[in-house]
Amino acid sequence: MAGSPQVTTASDLTIRPLTDAAELELFNGLDYVLNDEFADDLAQGRRRPSWMWVAQRSGRLLARAAWWTTSGSDEPKLFDIFDVDDTLDAAEATQIGVRLVTTALDAIIPDGTEPPEYLHFAPPDWRDNAASHRAVTVRMAALETLGARPLVERLRLEWRRGTPLPTPQGRLTFGSVTDREELIDLMVPVLDNTLDAHSRADLETMSPREAAAKQFDEEFAGFSSPRDWWRVASLDGEPVGFVIPARNTYNAVIAYIGVLPNFRGHGYVDDVLGEGVRILAAEDVPRIRASTDVPNVPMAKAFHRAGFVTFERTINMTWS
Ligand SMILES: CC(C)(COP(=O)(O)OP(=O)(O)OC[C@H]1O[C@@H](n2cnc3c(N)ncnc32)[C@H](O)[C@@H]1OP(=O)(O)O)[C@@H](O)C(=O)NCCC(=O)NCCS
């Protein structure tokens, strides 16, 4: 069914993609934390008007959905915008949302292809806030109707310039990563007993080496920041763990960090994370972003000990 964008008009509802970037003002008629990024994303090819859909009644925007990708890619990689007019009653909002997303998926995702993961940003206290709680539950209910299921809730964390830098403990020595193979050789054992839901989902369908290679090729290989920021931590010459400080399209990030199973439980995560933070802070970045799953309690605690604050949460849903 994928092919040319289609327009659906039924029960006076019009569902269609944007015609061009000039319609961004219409698209931004619903409020969301990413609204300010769309113009640059469109200019850089991370979004396309044909992946930005609206549901309107008599010209009024009632819902919108959009997909994102990395620059240079022809396929949508993430379903990260799904908003409904929250003044509608929940049942109607859900119904409109379902129709919008069904129509858009039909048009942009080839038959037989799994739709990209859905990501929704919510305030850290969304469960205690009636409006945020309703916004999350309406969107999740609509997508569950379409076969998506909750994968995990994640913390979005931020270290802000001016926060005291973690002090080096001097227990470990740090070296750079020589090549892809060296890093993958360290990533494979780190997957052992990982609490990370995306890694665990990968390990259901592939070997640890395949999962590590996938993460390297799909994520780390795309960073334009210097690879000599990446660090392997060692104790008496033996690798203990590693950290991947990087810059993505939007921010400096701790992209990944791991401690090898034999060395877990000694707080080495603090040494390794501290080194990653110091490397990025030396670049005088205004903030360092990171994410971790809510159930990955050891990692969340380590970020907080290093001075990161939770500024948002994400709800991740998949069709797998
Ligand atoms: C998360 C991770 C980096 C923590 O590293 P660490 O150096 O073991 O961290 P800590 O020493 O603070 O130990 C964390 C917890 O592990 C548990 N632990 C203790 N001994 C352990 C052992 N032998 N093996 C595994 N876990 C152990 C303890 O519960 C400890 O928590 P507590 O002391 O606060 O109660 C590491 O477990 C890891 O690499 N996990 C897989 C990759 C991952 O999740 N990376 C983060 C992605 S965002």
Side-chain angles (χ1 to χ4, degrees):
M1 275 176 286
S4 57
Q6 57 198 95
V7 175
T8 301
T9 308
S11 38
D12 71 359
L13 197 66
T14 299
I15 295 179
R16 65 173 181 90
L18 298 188
T19 51
D20 54 37
E23 285 202 301
L24 207 47
E25 198 179 326
L26 159 75
F27 194 76
N28 277 348
L30 293 177
D31 209 24
Y32 189 55
V33 286
L34 296 182
N35 280 15
D36 287 345
E37 292 181 358
F38 298 149
D40 192 49
D41 283 347
L42 278 165
Q44 302 299 326
R46 294 185 293 269
R47 297 190 192 272
R48 297 171 178 199
S50 58
W51 298 346
M52 302 177 82
W53 284 68
V54 290
Q56 292 169 283
R57 182 181 291 140
S58 310
R60 179 182 156 201
L61 181 66
L62 298 181
R64 64 177 188 171
W67 285 258
W68 175 93
T69 195
T70 44
S71 291
S73 170
D74 283 334
E75 289 167 11
K77 291 188 174 168
L78 195 62
F79 174 26
D80 65 339
I81 307 296
F82 175 36
D83 290 311
V84 290
D85 179 340
D86 286 307
T87 63
L88 298 171
D89 86 68
E92 190 184 14
T94 305
Q95 195 189 21
I96 292 171
V98 167
R99 287 195 39 210
L100 169 68
V101 176
T102 307
T103 310
L105 283 177
D106 247 15
I108 65 178
I109 304 298
D111 281 345
T113 306
E114 187 182 303
E117 182 168 329
Y118 172 66
L119 191 69
H120 176 74
F121 294 149
D125 61 345
W126 69 267
R127 282 189 180 74
D128 304 324
N129 176 302
S132 310
H133 187 270
R134 183 182 182 279
V136 170
T137 49
V138 164
R139 285 155 183 73
M140 289 182 79
L143 298 182
E144 280 181 292
T145 309
L146 295 172
R149 63 174 182 87
L151 174 69
V152 70
E153 184 167 329
R154 287 167 64 78
L155 304 179
R156 299 192 78 207
L157 300 134
E158 185 170 274
W159 182 95
R160 293 167 186 153
R161 184 162 51 203
T163 305
L165 281 170
T167 317
Q169 300 299 304
R171 300 192 291 177
L172 305 177
T173 55
F174 291 93
S176 51
V177 177
T178 48
D179 57 20
R180 177 179 181 275
E181 288 316 306
E182 184 193 4
L183 188 60
I184 290 178
D185 283 347
L186 295 174
M187 292 168 73
V188 170
V190 158
L191 286 170
D192 211 28
N193 277 327
T194 179
L195 296 173
D196 184 85
H198 286 87
S199 295
R200 291 168 81 104
D202 281 346
L203 292 173
E204 283 173 17
T205 59
M206 60 186 88
S207 70
R209 186 156 292 274
E210 287 166 338
K214 174 176 168 248
Q215 185 171 13
F216 185 99
D217 295 336
E218 290 184 358
E219 198 181 336
F220 307 161
F223 292 132
S224 54
S225 48
R227 285 195 181 182
D228 65 14
W229 289 358
W230 303 357
R231 284 287 181 276
V232 178
S234 303
L235 183 66
D236 300 329
E238 210 183 328
V240 166
F242 63 87
V243 60
I244 309 293
R247 194 190 295 275
N248 70 17
T249 308
Y250 308 95
N251 287 290
V253 293
I254 297 293
Y256 194 52
I257 178 167
V259 170
L260 277 77
N262 286 347
F263 294 96
R264 288 184 186 158
H266 300 283
Y268 288 134
V269 66
D270 293 343
D271 306 55
V272 182
L273 178 59
E275 182 71 4
V277 169
R278 286 189 293 275
I279 285 168
L280 292 172
E283 303 294 317
D284 200 27
V285 296
R287 72 188 79 85
I288 302 170
R289 292 264 169 101
S291 300
T292 196
D293 293 0
V294 171
N296 198 344
V297 175
M299 197 61 240
K301 280 185 178 171
F303 278 124
H304 288 137
R305 284 194 299 268
F308 285 72
V309 293
T310 301
F311 70 96
E312 221 164 39
R313 287 185 173 216
T314 64
I315 314 293
N316 298 55
M317 298 179 79
T318 61
W319 270 264
S320 55

